[in-house]
């Protein structure tokens, strides 16, 4: 027996191929796209400008793989952490991912996940301590965006949740295509930021195939020290990552930023700031300083506010634009590095 296809996450071209196989008119694919991504229906029966026969046939061969979050935790600062089940991965023993909704004035950002767990093994990241349990499909990724109550009010998407986007690049590119294509949501790609620890083959492909913003997790400019906390430094040294980035034009609308989590006594002194300036000199970029959020079994300490301010001021004074990112949702384990796919009600 042939299993049904998930319509959600398919491109216009893929829907055209499906309609051709079924003998539907070519324009039917565009109608389905509109229902899926613009009108955001979650049942085939709701596609009322398709004939009854077409809807009946679609229901026999396909479904719309949308489902609501199974849990929501609300922070005192208004941040919300949504938990989603990924049932096809339940056999691994880990089948949940988290997305974080961050309201901020007229901006509403959703931080989404692309994997259950992560392979990168960064020592300071709770997600990394969970190990890797599976890649999300484009439908799984998009479901986090389309299935929260605030879906219609989102202004920005950041791929900074669970997982390494360049390690699941096909699904990430498929999902950003739905977000940015005229047949999808039609967003500007500059409303989307995709993070990476610096997997060079995937990063190069992403830079060539997408105009979305990029954020590189840097965290230490000294190669040996970065290797101690980020194992992927061995395969893809940060100097090589930056050499690749220098081949692209960052003076236009597409932006490159570097994420720098600050650990007390490890990477927060003037010597590290000076090395970071040397590493990034001449690259049109921004550095975001992130306060380390302490968690069980992670032996690092948080830098003081004064140390972070000194570090920021040094970078700005030496020609590297630097800001301190506001911490959000720490009380519900929704801040940077704390996502673990867990909730008290599950």
């Amino acid at each position: 027996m042939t299993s049904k296809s998930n319509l959600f996450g398919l491109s216009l071209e893929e829907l055209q191929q499906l309609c051709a196989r079924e003998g539907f008119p070519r324009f039917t694919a565009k109608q389905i796209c509109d229902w899926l991504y613009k009108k955001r229906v979650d049942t085939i029966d709701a596609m009322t400008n398709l004939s009854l026969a077409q809807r009946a046939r679609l229901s026999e061969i396909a479904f719309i793989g949308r489902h609501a979050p199974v849990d929501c935790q609300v922070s005192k600062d208004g941040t919300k952490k949504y938990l989603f089940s990924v049932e096809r991965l339940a056999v691994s023993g880990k089948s949940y991912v988290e997305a974080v909704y961050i309201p901020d004035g007229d901006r509403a950002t959703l931080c989404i996940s692309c994997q259950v767990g992560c392979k990168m093994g960064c020592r300071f990241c709770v997600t990394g301590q969970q190990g890797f349990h599976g890649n999300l499909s484009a439908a799984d990724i998009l479901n986090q965006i389309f299935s929260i109550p605030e879906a219609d009010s989102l202004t920005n998407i950041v791929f900074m949740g669970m997982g390494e986007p360049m390690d699941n690049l096909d699904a990430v590119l498929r999902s950003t295509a739905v977000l940015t294509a005229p047949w999808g949501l039609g967003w500007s790609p500059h409303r989307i930021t995709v993070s990476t620890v610096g997997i060079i083959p995937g990063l190069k492909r992403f830079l060539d195939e997408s105009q979305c913003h990029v954020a590189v997790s840097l965290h230490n400019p000294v190669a040996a020290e970065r290797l101690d906390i980020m194992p992927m430094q061995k395969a893809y040294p940060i100097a090589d990552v930056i050499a690749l980035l220098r081949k692209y034009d960052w003076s236009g609308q597409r932006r490159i930023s570097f994420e720098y989590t600050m650990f007390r006594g490890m990477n927060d002194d003037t010597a590290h700031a000076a090395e970071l300036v040397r590493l990034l000199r001449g690259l049109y970029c921004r550095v975001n300083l992130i306060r380390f959020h302490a968690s069980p079994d992670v032996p690092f300490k948080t830098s003081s506010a004064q140390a972070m301010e000194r570090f920021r001021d040094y970078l700005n004074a030496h020609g590297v634009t630097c800001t301190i990112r506001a911490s959000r949702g720490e009380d519900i384990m929704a801040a940077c590095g704390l996502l673990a796919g867990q909730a008290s009600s599950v």
Side-chain angles (χ1 to χ4, degrees), residues 186-264:
W187 278 23
S188 164
H190 304 125
R191 294 170 64 178
I192 303 166
T193 301
V194 178
S195 69
T196 179
V197 299
I199 299 179
I200 290 175
L203 177 57
K204 184 179 187 310
R205 182 182 161 204
F206 184 82
L207 293 171
D208 291 339
E209 297 183 22
S210 171
Q211 285 296 310
C212 295
H213 296 319
V214 178
V216 175
S217 298
L218 200 159
H219 308 306
N220 199 309
V222 179
E225 295 178 13
R226 188 172 188 263
L227 176 60
D228 189 52
I229 60 172
M230 300 179 70
M232 290 308 292
Q233 166 71 17
K234 182 175 182 180
Y236 304 112
I238 191 62
D240 293 350
V241 174
I242 292 172
L244 171 65
L245 295 171
R246 290 187 187 279
K247 297 177 181 179
Y248 293 81
D249 180 11
W250 300 102
S251 62
Q253 289 186 297
R254 184 164 66 165
R255 185 174 64 240
I256 179 68
S257 59
F258 293 91
E259 310 301 293
Y260 195 96
T261 300
M262 299 199 70
F263 308 105
R264 185 184 305 176

Side-chain angles (χ1 to χ4, degrees), residues 5 11 31 34 51 151 156 189 195 212 221 268 276 320-321 324 335 339:
S5 301
S11 68
Q31 292 176 316
D34 287 345
S51 70
N156 298 85
S195 69
C212 295
D268 61 352
L276 188 55
V320 176
T321 302
I324 298 174
L339 300 186

Side-chain angles (χ1 to χ4, degrees), residues 108-123:
T109 300
L110 187 68
C111 175
I112 60 175
S113 299
C114 64
Q115 294 178 317
V116 180
C118 186
K119 299 176 187 175
M120 300 302 106
C122 298
R123 291 181 58 210

Side-chain angles (χ1 to χ4, degrees), residues 14-28:
E14 290 167 329
L15 288 168
Q16 288 171 341
Q17 293 168 357
L18 182 149
C19 288
R21 289 195 301 270
E22 295 301 321
F24 297 166
R26 184 177 175 84
F27 64 80
T28 306

